[in-house]
Amino acid sequence: MADSYRIAVNVEWTSKCNALCTMCPRDAIEHPQLMADRTWQQTLKRLSPQEVFRVVIAGYGEPTTHPQYFDFVEDARRHPVRFDMVSNGHLLDPEKLAHLDGAVGLLIVSFSSIDPDVYGRVHVNLDQRRVMENLKAAQQLLKRTTLGISLTPMPECLPSLPDTIAWLKAQGIHALTMSPTLYNRGGNLKEHALASERLRALIREHGLHSQELDFIPSGREIFRQWCSNRYKCVPRNVDLFIAASGDYLYCYNDVGHRHPIGNVADDPLRAVLRRREDMAAIPALCDDCNMRDRYGAGELLQTGISFVRQRLRQVA
Ligand SMILES: C[S@@+](CC[C@H](N)C(=O)[O-])C[C@H]1O[C@@H](n2cnc3c(N)ncnc32)[C@H](O)[C@@H]1O
Ligand code: SF4
């Protein structure tokens, strides 16, 4: 390892979900499961601010469906590392929201469209009106947690994007983010190709926050990651995925959870990172992955410029 660096960690409280979103290839998970309390406690012990700059509670499932939601949130509140959460918002009623306040720094609710037909087709099984009511409640109730939105980068969501943004802003919600890549999740989604250039242009046009910047702790640490890892895949190297089983996954794009590289019960996080630093690409996962070249030389430069711009805006 060239030098130490911090990473983001993605923790999956559950790989079960109350939705069937069209863009999410969760059907690749053979045995969806809940994270056991014991595994969660082991996970917490593995996370330290020296090694982790951010923990995102998301994974491939819906965290608010976990039966121990209230206990787990309480544990996150007491932990020294910064926690964020990504949710589809359907179960985020006022009681759950009030409990979340201050325990996570950023709550990101995924939202596809203000158009009920589009929402119903993309966020299958969810109630758009209920999610919208929960968003309004979140905006009122959250005092120490920032509310953000993850806008779905699906082609069918884009015609209604201006109206969706206008409704969210009218509610006072301004932290609007979008991924510049509609991930094909290691080749799991072939039919949803959408050029990242087009998404980047939309992100710029609407003044959205690009999610690719959220996994970069600092320019220096990205450089250290780059030097330390034999396989120069930035999306793989900036993040470590801890599945509901406690397995550390080789890459968060391993939707099928088929490539574990350790488990929280046995391995400290740094030991797993060292193991991964020496690992090459896994052809079954990497060959068809559209994230692989997300940070080629040009894109890395563009991302670096956006990163610096954003930091300058934050200090201004
Ligand atoms: C997998 S979900 C898990 C958390 C939660 N169930 C939710 O829907 O927000 C995490 C995020 O990934 C996004 N997502 C799912 N599939 C995607 C894809 N193929 N490309 C880009 N983002 C995707 C979701 O919209 C959501 O914002
Ligand atoms: S190329 Fe491989 S390591 Fe990189 S993001 Fe894709 S699946 Fe992950």
Side-chain angles (χ1 to χ4, degrees), residues 129-148:
R129 301 262 20 129
R130 183 167 160 175
V131 173
M132 287 162 74
E133 287 308 313
N134 289 345
L135 284 174
K136 287 184 195 168
Q139 188 58 12
Q140 291 207 322
L141 283 169
L142 297 177
K143 306 289 178 222
R144 286 161 297 153
T145 292
T146 305
L147 173 64

Side-chain angles (χ1 to χ4, degrees), residues 59 67 72 81 89-91 95 115 119 126 179 187 195 239 261 266 305:
F72 283 18
V81 169
H90 181 90
L91 291 175
E95 193 191 0
D115 181 326
Y119 189 94
L126 301 183
S179 165
D239 184 273
I261 54 172
D266 311 314
I305 292 168

Side-chain angles (χ1 to χ4, degrees), residues 139-206:
Q139 188 58 12
Q140 291 207 322
L141 283 169
L142 297 177
K143 306 289 178 222
R144 286 161 297 153
T145 292
T146 305
L147 173 64
I149 301 292
S150 172
L151 293 156
T152 314
M154 288 274 285
E156 62 194 295
C157 303
L158 303 182
S160 54
L161 186 64
D163 288 345
T164 305
I165 292 173
W167 183 82
L168 290 164
K169 286 190 174 165
Q171 310 312 311
I173 307 171
H174 294 283
L176 307 180
T177 76
M178 189 152 92
S179 165
T181 319
L182 180 64
Y183 315 137
N184 70 354
R185 305 295 197 194
N188 269 284
L189 278 179
K190 296 202 193 300
E191 68 275 27
H192 294 309
L194 184 62
S196 285
E197 296 74 50
R198 171 138 187 254
L199 288 173
R200 281 212 175 86
L202 281 170
I203 287 171
R204 275 196 302 275
E205 184 190 332
H206 294 288

Side-chain angles (χ1 to χ4, degrees), residues 188-264:
N188 269 284
L189 278 179
K190 296 202 193 300
E191 68 275 27
H192 294 309
L194 184 62
S196 285
E197 296 74 50
R198 171 138 187 254
L199 288 173
R200 281 212 175 86
L202 281 170
I203 287 171
R204 275 196 302 275
E205 184 190 332
H206 294 288
L208 305 175
H209 173 87
S210 175
Q211 285 171 13
E212 68 189 339
L213 307 176
D214 294 343
F215 296 91
I216 301 179
S218 70
R220 200 173 56 171
E221 282 166 296
I222 282 288
F223 179 70
R224 286 177 179 170
Q225 286 179 13
W226 182 268
C227 296
S228 304
N229 282 278
R230 187 180 143 204
Y231 179 29
K232 311 291 183 197
C233 175
V234 177
R236 184 198 79 161
N237 298 338
V238 293
D239 184 273
L240 190 59
F241 191 104
I242 302 180
S245 61
D247 281 345
Y248 297 100
L249 297 187
Y250 169 85
C251 177
Y252 73 91
N253 278 326
D254 176 14
V255 190
H257 296 43
R258 293 199 182 89
H259 304 280
I261 54 172
N263 188 284
V264 290

